[in-house]
């Protein structure tokens, strides 16, 4: 009996902890949701009460004044293109590094993987961005984001490549494929789950990033959503209703991407098995 | 169809040499089996013929053309792998025609070749399926189909049956044998299973440590092995080896008895040697007798095998016909002196 009881207590305690943790994350989301629908006066206190009347026009105002349309497309461009580039290059690199385990390739692999842990040196990065004339340009920020995502992407894909039998490479060689055909026609289709995972994670990371555009994009027409929100907040900090609406609109796209892709994220992170 | 010739083939991985100076001619239309224990270099040899592995030195000819530096796809070979190596994301039809599509062959040719290969292998109903939806035997047939579609001069098989269960293995063995008759192509087959080698091969190549030990027809190897390794490797249960001593010019003492050795030249008195005798040769009704104690009996119905120990502690497996003894009984094992194969201490055959 004592064992059953203590099990029940642990169970209940676990649930309490989970509920508490959920509250911590959900409270701000709730506050933003209700306040986005209030009038300016009502939202001034940023309280938890429900709005007395719905002010849906807040969203329209925000979209117009906050340059949300431009910044939305900027964000899609930066996150989408950089995630695609990072996934493609990481997959190519991971395939070669995993298949040819020479001492040099192992060294290269670990060098690339270090990028996950090591902090960015903004001083040298700025110098390089200036030197290459990539600072304050869209291609510049895309290349920068792709580069930042590559280490983790290689790490994810590398382990997955191992699970694809080498005999498939041999079979492709005998069927007349060169290295690139082998990769694009045989290996890449089998990597789909992990490639989708990599793409989504990298997309989300870039979408949520705030620092890079702050440093490397000066002109407001190049800003992604995160920076636009920040700027909007600076201008309208007395209008909490508008700020809340702005934050909500920024969250929605990334939420959609996450929900659409979460099935792949899980399967790509856990399973590595491709059995013929 | 073509003959395959290997001339002075060597292969090293780093500093370890895995194939030593192999010379081999495989005739047109022949079914050749490379057999040997794991790590003997048989798969490496096959992969070098396929073009998946470079040779360190030597020359490979297929159909009188030197293919040593050619790409695998240009050698006129097709290969069937142990794990089937089917492309999991493609249907059976796409798997089989992948090579033709990579080579950009015209559509009608692809359709025609697919249809004829599918017919030979009875795969017509499975063409739209993915490999994951097939049984092991079906997958293996698709892998063979992929090879047939390429219309190769030489088929290469790398332990194609070792992933199948015993019953299916026997069935596929027969099917591959029939396929060889139908297609008449040169086939090279790698296996570690000597039963597969014995049943399928026109000629067997026994390899050990990257060297060719003996090449010959299955029964040649069985009856006339050049050394103790081949003698022990071919045949199941394996040949018994007993140590003997030469007591006179031709007289040999073994396991408590003496007999006249079936050798042409004289032996040196006092020389120690190994006597090889196969289990079925110990079921003779008369001849030289060895006494032994029965430890284990394997009754297979038609025949039985006794696992015995002689008084000097040597283990002997013997085929047994007639009434079965009890475990612990002493039995007399008889053999004709002519059935014995003699090997020197180093393993070379003494004739």
């Amino acid at each position: 009996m004592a064992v059953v009881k203590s099990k029940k207590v642990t169970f209940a305690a676990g649930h309490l902890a989970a509920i508490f943790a959920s509250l911590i994350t959900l409270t701000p989301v709730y506050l933003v949701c209700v306040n986005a629908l209030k009038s300016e006066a009502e939202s001034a206190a940023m309280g938890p009460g429900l709005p007395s009347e719905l002010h849906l026009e807040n969203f329209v105002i925000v979209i117009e004044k906050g340059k949300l349309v431009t910044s939305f497309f900027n964000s899609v461009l930066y996150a989408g293109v950089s995630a695609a580039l990072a996934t493609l290059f990481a997959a190519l690199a991971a395939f070669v590094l995993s298949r040819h385990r020479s001492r040099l390739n192992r060294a290269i692999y670990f060098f690339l993987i270090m990028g996950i842990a090591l902090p960015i040196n903004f001083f040298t990065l700025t110098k390089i961005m200036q030197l290459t004339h990539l600072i304050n340009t869209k291609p510049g920020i895309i290349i920068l984001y792709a580069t930042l995502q590559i280490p983790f992407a290689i790490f994810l894909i590398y382990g997955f490549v191992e699970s694809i039998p080498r005999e498939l490479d041999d079979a492709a060689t005998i069927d007349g494929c060169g290295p690139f055909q082998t990769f694009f026609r045989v290996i890449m289709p089998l990597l789909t789950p992990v490639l989708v995972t990599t793409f989504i994670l990298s997309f989300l990371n870039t979408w949520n990033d705030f620092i890079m555009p702050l440093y490397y994009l000066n002109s407001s027409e190049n800003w992604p959503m995160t920076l636009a929100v920040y700027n909007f907040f600076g201008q309208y900090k007395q209008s909490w209703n508008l700020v809340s609406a702005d934050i909500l609109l920024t969250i929605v796209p990334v939420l959609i991407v996450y929900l659409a892709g979460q099935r792949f994220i899980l399967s790509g992170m856990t399973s590595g098995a491709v059995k013929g | 169809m073509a003959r395959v010739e290997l001339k002075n083939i060597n292969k090293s991985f780093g500093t370890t040499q895995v194939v030593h100076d192999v010379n081999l001619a495989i005739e047109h239309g022949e079914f050749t089996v490379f057999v040997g224990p794991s790590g003997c270099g048989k798969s490496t040899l096959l992969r070098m013929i396929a073009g998946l592995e470079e040779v360190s030195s030597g020359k490979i000819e297929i159909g009188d053309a030197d293919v040593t530096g050619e790409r695998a796809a240009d050698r006129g070979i097709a290969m069937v792998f142990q794990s089937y190596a089917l492309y999991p994301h493609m249907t059976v039809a796409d798997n089989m025609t992948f090579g033709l599509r990579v080579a950009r062959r015209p559509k009608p040719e692809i359709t025609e070749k697919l249809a004829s290969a599918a017919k030979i292998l009875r795969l017509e109903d499975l063409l739209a399926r993915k490999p994951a939806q097939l049984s092991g035997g079906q997958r293996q047939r698709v892998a063979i189909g992929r090879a047939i579609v390429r219309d190769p001069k030489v088929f290469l098989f790398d332990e194609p049956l070792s992933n199948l269960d015993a019953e299916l293995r026997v069935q596929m063995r027969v099917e591959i044998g029939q396929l060889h008759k139908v297609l008449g192509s040169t086939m090279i087959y790698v296996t570690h299973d000597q039963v597969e080698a014995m049943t399928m091969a026109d000629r067997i190549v026994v390899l050990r440590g990257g060297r060719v030990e003996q090449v010959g027809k299955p029964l040649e190897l069985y009856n006339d092995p050049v050394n103790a390794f081949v003698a022990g490797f071919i045949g199941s249960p394996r040949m018994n080896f007993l140590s003997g001593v030469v007591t006179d010019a031709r007289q040999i003492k073994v396991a408590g008895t003496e007999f006249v050795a079936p050798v042409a030249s004289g032996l040196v008195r006092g020389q120690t040697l190994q006597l090889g005798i196969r289990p079925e040769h110990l079921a003779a009704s008369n001849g030289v007798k060895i006494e032994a104690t029965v430890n284990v009996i394997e009754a297979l119905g038609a025949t039985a095998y006794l696992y015995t120990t002689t008084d000097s502690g040597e283990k002997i497996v013997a085929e047994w016909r007639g009434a079965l003894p009890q475990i612990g009984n002493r039995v007399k094992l008889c053999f004709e002196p002519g059935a014995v194969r003699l090997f020197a201490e180093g393993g070379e055959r003494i004739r």
Side-chain angles (χ1 to χ4, degrees):
Chain A
M1 280 301 275
V3 177
V4 176
K5 209 170 186 180
S6 81
K7 251 191 182 173
K8 268 188 179 166
V9 170
T10 327
F11 193 68
H15 263 74
L16 269 178
I19 291 166
F20 185 66
S22 305
L23 278 181
I24 293 178
T25 25
L26 284 177
T27 312
V29 177
Y30 170 77
L31 285 178
V32 164
C33 280
V34 288
N35 282 292
L37 298 166
K38 290 178 185 172
S39 68
E40 192 179 316
E42 207 181 350
S43 70
M46 201 66 190
L50 293 174
S52 49
E53 55 181 347
L54 291 184
H55 289 271
L56 288 170
E57 75 277 5
N58 288 347
F59 291 100
V60 184
I61 297 170
V62 162
I63 289 170
E64 277 169 5
K65 292 200 175 160
K67 293 187 182 171
L68 270 195
V69 179
T70 327
S71 63
F72 171 77
F73 283 113
N74 282 339
S75 275
V76 170
L77 179 75
Y78 301 158
V81 176
S82 72
L85 287 178
T87 308
L88 175 69
F89 286 118
L92 284 163
F95 174 58
V96 174
L97 293 176
S98 169
R99 283 300 198 237
H100 305 281
R101 299 276 178 93
S102 63
R103 208 170 276 193
L104 176 69
N105 280 350
R106 285 198 79 79
I108 293 174
Y109 174 67
F110 283 115
F111 177 72
L112 290 170
I113 293 302
M114 272 198 294
I116 298 174
L118 296 187
I120 299 166
N121 183 326
F122 285 99
F123 175 72
T124 45
L125 183 58
T126 307
K127 278 280 172 210
I128 285 182
M129 295 291 279
Q130 283 168 342
L131 207 69
T132 48
H133 298 286
L134 287 172
I135 204 157
N136 200 23
T137 64
K138 285 178 178 173
I141 198 84
I142 289 173
I143 291 173
L144 180 55
Y145 273 132
T147 314
L148 290 174
Q149 301 302 332
I150 277 178
F152 186 63
I154 289 181
F155 175 70
L156 265 187
I157 301 169
Y158 185 82
F160 207 88
V161 172
E162 278 174 62
S163 70
I164 297 176
R166 276 162 200 257
E167 282 193 338
L168 285 182
D169 304 29
D170 291 340
T173 306
I174 284 181
D175 274 334
C177 292
F180 277 95
Q181 271 187 318
T182 302
F183 178 77
F184 284 108
R185 298 183 74 162
V186 176
I187 303 299
M188 202 154 112
L190 299 177
L191 289 175
T192 309
V194 76
L195 295 186
V196 173
T197 308
T198 311
F199 180 87
I200 292 171
L201 290 179
S202 149
F203 185 95
L204 298 183
N205 276 343
T206 303
W207 186 281
N208 293 330
D209 182 63
F210 173 72
I211 299 290
M212 292 300 151
L214 185 66
Y215 284 0
Y216 300 112
L217 292 176
N218 301 329
S219 50
S220 63
E221 69 263 28
N222 283 345
W223 283 348
M225 284 189 109
T226 43
L227 210 55
V229 171
Y230 176 66
N231 199 54
F232 185 84
F233 177 71
Q235 285 174 31
Y236 292 87
K237 58 184 160 210
Q238 69 279 39
S239 324
W240 278 103
N241 56 340
L242 296 185
V243 172
S244 299
D246 193 33
I247 292 171
L248 259 191
L249 286 176
T250 323
I251 296 174
V252 170
V254 74
L255 203 65
I256 290 171
V257 171
Y258 177 77
L259 289 178
Q262 65 154 342
R263 188 166 62 89
F264 291 102
I265 294 184
L266 255 174
S267 72
M269 298 264 252
T270 55
S271 90
V274 180
K275 290 214 172 80
Chain B
M1 287 187 276
R3 70 195 291 277
V4 177
E5 192 154 357
L6 308 181
K7 291 176 175 166
N8 305 98
I9 298 292
N10 283 289
K11 175 71 185 175
S12 306
F13 291 112
T15 52
T16 28
Q17 191 165 358
V18 291
V19 171
H20 301 264
D21 199 36
V22 168
N23 284 287
L24 199 61
I26 292 160
E27 294 306 321
H28 169 96
E30 203 174 47
F31 196 112
T32 303
V33 174
F34 293 174
V35 70
S38 49
C40 71
K42 55 190 189 298
S43 282
T44 308
L45 206 54
L46 193 78
R47 291 171 60 83
M48 287 193 286
I49 298 172
L52 294 173
E53 207 79 72
E54 284 179 14
V55 298
S56 299
S57 71
K59 211 162 121 181
I60 298 173
E61 288 176 7
I62 296 177
D64 300 324
D66 183 354
V67 298
T68 319
E70 293 266 6
R71 290 192 327 143
D74 300 335
R75 292 185 176 200
I77 52 101
M79 189 155 169
V80 177
F81 296 88
Q82 179 174 355
S83 68
Y84 325 119
L86 299 177
Y87 310 120
H89 57 298
M90 297 184 199
T91 61
V92 168
D94 286 346
N95 260 288
M96 286 168 68
T97 56
F98 184 64
L100 299 177
R101 287 184 288 129
V102 169
R104 297 182 190 283
R105 306 302 305 166
K107 266 240 168 81
E109 182 193 327
I110 296 178
T111 324
E112 186 205 332
K113 283 191 169 169
L114 173 66
S116 86
K119 194 167 168 231
I120 294 174
L121 294 162
R122 305 187 311 281
L123 289 168
E124 288 108 325
D125 299 336
L126 306 176
L127 290 178
R129 293 213 198 155
K130 292 269 179 72
Q133 299 165 299
L134 303 176
S135 70
Q138 288 170 334
R139 286 180 203 179
Q140 195 51 274
R141 289 220 301 275
V142 175
I144 294 170
R146 183 168 63 183
I148 292 178
V149 164
R150 293 178 53 80
D151 208 0
K153 295 182 216 158
V154 183
F155 282 85
L156 307 175
F157 294 90
D158 190 3
E159 309 218 13
L161 305 185
S162 43
N163 280 3
L164 302 177
D165 61 51
E167 197 182 334
L168 205 50
R169 208 178 307 166
V170 174
Q171 192 186 323
M172 288 302 296
R173 219 154 72 190
V174 175
E175 277 193 38
I176 292 177
Q178 281 169 345
L179 192 70
H180 177 237
K181 284 207 182 69
V182 173
L183 300 174
S185 321
T186 311
M187 294 189 175
I188 305 176
Y189 188 104
V190 162
T191 180
H192 62 267
D193 180 352
Q194 59 90 22
V195 178
E196 263 173 37
M198 291 293 284
T199 50
M200 301 176 80
D202 292 326
R203 250 178 1 139
I204 296 178
V205 178
V206 181
L207 291 149
R208 176 175 58 160
R211 291 188 171 83
V212 174
E213 295 284 322
Q214 191 171 2
V215 182
K217 292 194 168 69
L219 287 181
E220 279 174 21
L221 301 193
Y222 186 80
N223 293 323
D224 197 12
V226 295
N227 57 34
F229 173 76
V230 175
F233 195 79
I234 301 288
S236 169
R238 71 194 293 268
M239 185 182 258
N240 297 295
F241 290 101
L242 305 173
S243 53
V245 185
V246 179
T247 53
D248 197 7
R250 289 198 173 167
Q251 197 80 3
I252 295 175
K253 188 175 179 205
V254 63
T257 55
E258 284 197 31
F259 71 102
V260 179
V263 286
S265 53
L267 298 163
V268 185
R269 183 197 287 255
Q271 182 186 357
T272 54
L273 36 68
Q274 282 182 288
L275 265 90
I277 177 115
R278 295 199 182 275
E280 66 269 26
H281 293 144
L282 285 163
S285 47
N286 52 39
V288 186
K289 291 187 177 60
I290 296 176
E291 284 202 22
T293 312
V294 180
N295 302 321
V296 174
I297 299 171
E298 272 182 4
L300 302 176
T303 176
Y305 290 105
L306 306 185
Y307 291 76
T308 66
T309 315
T310 64
D311 295 340
S312 49
E314 285 173 303
K315 305 256 185 242
I316 299 181
V317 181
E319 197 178 313
W320 188 262
R321 293 167 201 143
L324 287 178
Q326 298 286 311
I327 288 173
N329 281 6
R330 286 179 72 77
V331 289
K332 285 199 170 78
L333 306 171
C334 290
F335 63 89
E336 304 277 357
V340 169
R341 303 286 175 266
L342 296 178
F343 303 97
E345 280 298 292
E348 321 81 73
R349 175 86 179 271
I350 305 171
R351 292 173 191 273

